[in-house]
Amino acid sequence: MNQEAMMREPAWRKTGKTPDYRFSLANERTFLAWIRTSLALLAGAVAIDQLAPNIAPQPVRIVLCVVLSMIGAGLATLAYRRWAQMEAAMRNDQALPFSRVMLLMTIVVAVAAFTFAVLILVAR
């Protein structure tokens, strides 16, 4: 598959009308915030693995790092999907789609924070 075929414009961009650029830019900023969150999860996984070897036994650390990495990868994928859904909805004058991802991410971050707090207290 050549590069041009991979980077072709999605079909939904040829539907409806172009939304106000301010809304498209706001949607892009939201996408970038999701990508930053994904990168933060990946950085946290690397930091736990490389900088905190005594925080938990190695198998526990490996599981935590893999889980954080997988969640980061999933969030990056969902960020693009959600950005595209929002753009398509705006182009076609439809209601913006609902997503449970924000609730899920809130729960994941809260559980991770609690887990790390317990591990830090136990490691001392």
Side-chain angles (χ1 to χ4, degrees):
M1 181 178 282
N2 65 20
Q3 179 120 7
E4 190 173 309
M6 287 177 46
M7 299 302 290
R8 125 177 93 223
E9 186 175 29
W12 58 261
R13 291 224 357 124
K14 298 173 183 152
T15 65
K17 62 181 190 251
T18 303
D20 184 325
Y21 72 92
R22 293 171 293 180
F23 299 121
S24 288
L25 291 174
N27 190 31
E28 186 175 322
R29 284 189 301 274
T30 302
F31 166 78
L32 292 172
W34 285 47
I35 293 296
R36 280 191 305 272
T37 303
S38 175
L39 287 170
L41 289 166
L42 293 171
V46 170
I48 291 165
D49 183 56
Q50 297 296 310
L51 303 175
N54 299 326
I55 196 168
Q58 185 175 7
V60 174
R61 254 190 14 258
I62 290 171
V63 168
L64 288 171
C65 293
V66 168
V67 168
L68 286 176
S69 297
M70 296 303 286
I71 292 169
L75 185 60
T77 303
L78 286 172
Y80 178 80
R81 184 171 172 251
R82 184 152 170 84
W83 170 81
Q85 288 175 332
M86 295 295 178
E87 284 292 314
M90 287 188 293
R91 294 181 82 72
N92 294 298
D93 290 324
Q94 296 174 342
L96 298 180
F98 174 75
S99 174
R100 287 180 170 57
V101 175
M102 287 169 256
L103 174 61
L104 180 65
M105 283 309 300
T106 301
I107 292 168
V108 165
V109 170
V111 168
F114 179 76
T115 301
F116 294 126
V118 168
L119 288 174
I120 290 167
L121 290 173
V122 170
R124 301 230 173 237

